[in-house]
Amino acid sequence: MPRDEPRTANREPQITDSDSRRLGVLISGRGSNLQALIEAVGDGTLAARIAVVISNKANAGGLDRARAAGIEALCLDHRTFGSRDEYDATVVRELRARGVSVVCLAGFMRLVGPRLLEAFPNAILNVHPSLLPAFPGVDAQRQALEHGVKVSGATVHLVTGELDGGPIVLQSAVPVRDDDSVDLLSARILIEEHRIYPQAVRLILDGGWRLEGRRFLVVG
Ligand code: GRF
């Protein structure tokens, strides 16, 4: 997969065990975005393999979703590591051991440190429940509602050292209704997350893109 060089995919990607379309998914919770990726792989709309799912929480529902789909699922509890660097180094080792080329954060509630970022340059994606750069960090839907915006949405972006601050790959807008609650707005945004995350992963894997400063541009 190219990082800086554009490449145009002119044929349907074929999946083999030895190719580079192997994903690692990092989670902390229920794993509905993981499920969207599993289903997109299953129905052939995302030509990739999910090689491993790693959670920092033993009780993450996403671990069960992974196992139910026959995907290897590991718990690496961050509290058992001495530092973020040590934790990230172990995550990198596990991902590399399984030939992962693209890492998908899917409700992974930890900051990604330099060790992980440097191991997968421009190859870590995150999904966030707002139209970034508005409302980064936790409780994005509540932030949007309390701010009074009329439109919020979902963003998939490349992960950098800045929290929720990397180049934007795809976004989808969701209108905020006058009678919205955090739960109602979150549910409508989640539908868009599930729709655009597999699309964004496919874009990254297919390789017809380049970065121009902060801008993620799809080429020819
Ligand atoms: C999603 O809203 C995602 O945008 C945010 O955390 C939530 C994870 O949900 N980063 P799930 O675990 O994928 O269901």
Side-chain angles (χ1 to χ4, degrees):
M1 189 203 69
R3 299 281 148 69
D4 302 316
E5 292 300 313
R7 189 184 71 195
T8 305
N10 53 9
R11 61 182 168 78
E12 278 304 301
Q14 303 293 308
I15 311 294
T16 66
D17 273 337
S18 59
D19 75 14
S20 64
R21 301 176 70 93
R22 296 173 71 89
L23 308 176
V25 185
L26 306 190
I27 62 166
S28 299
R30 70 188 162 181
S32 71
N33 278 288
L34 164 66
Q35 188 70 43
L37 294 173
I38 291 172
E39 284 169 18
V41 169
D43 69 19
T45 53
L46 175 58
R49 265 187 215 292
I50 302 176
V52 66
V53 171
I54 300 176
S55 172
N56 67 314
K57 297 264 174 79
N59 62 355
L63 288 171
D64 297 328
R65 294 182 192 262
R67 291 181 185 124
I71 297 165
E72 185 182 7
L74 304 178
C75 174
L76 294 177
D77 185 340
H78 59 282
R79 293 168 307 183
T80 63
F81 290 80
S83 65
R84 181 180 309 282
D85 206 49
E86 231 178 83
Y87 183 79
D88 284 1
T90 303
V91 171
V92 168
R93 198 167 57 241
E94 298 294 349
L95 294 170
R96 284 206 168 130
R98 291 159 182 86
V100 165
S101 60
V102 170
V103 181
C104 301
L105 310 186
F108 185 59
M109 300 300 286
R110 283 183 59 79
L111 289 174
V112 171
R115 184 73 74 120
L116 194 46
L117 289 170
E118 283 159 21
F120 294 95
N122 287 334
I124 306 178
L125 287 164
N126 183 42
V127 60
H128 184 78
S130 75
L131 290 180
L132 290 169
F135 314 125
V138 294
D139 272 341
Q141 304 94 329
R142 181 180 303 281
Q143 291 184 57
L145 210 55
E146 288 177 356
H147 192 91
V149 293
K150 300 300 184 194
V151 179
S152 190
T155 302
V156 179
H157 64 93
L158 290 170
V159 174
T160 63
E162 186 191 346
L163 177 68
D164 298 326
I168 291 166
V169 178
L170 283 178
Q171 290 186 305
S172 179
V174 173
V176 180
R177 297 180 184 155
D178 287 352
D179 58 354
D180 254 337
S181 63
V182 173
D183 285 348
L184 287 172
L185 179 60
S186 301
R188 294 203 311 286
I189 291 174
L190 198 59
I191 292 169
E192 294 308 298
E193 294 182 42
H194 296 167
R195 192 174 63 79
I196 65 173
Y197 207 3
Q199 287 180 7
V201 175
R202 193 172 59 210
L203 267 178
I204 295 294
L205 287 171
D206 285 354
W209 57 276
R210 66 188 166 87
L211 291 178
E212 197 177 284
R214 288 193 42 85
R215 300 184 71 204
F216 177 94
L217 302 174
V218 175
V219 293

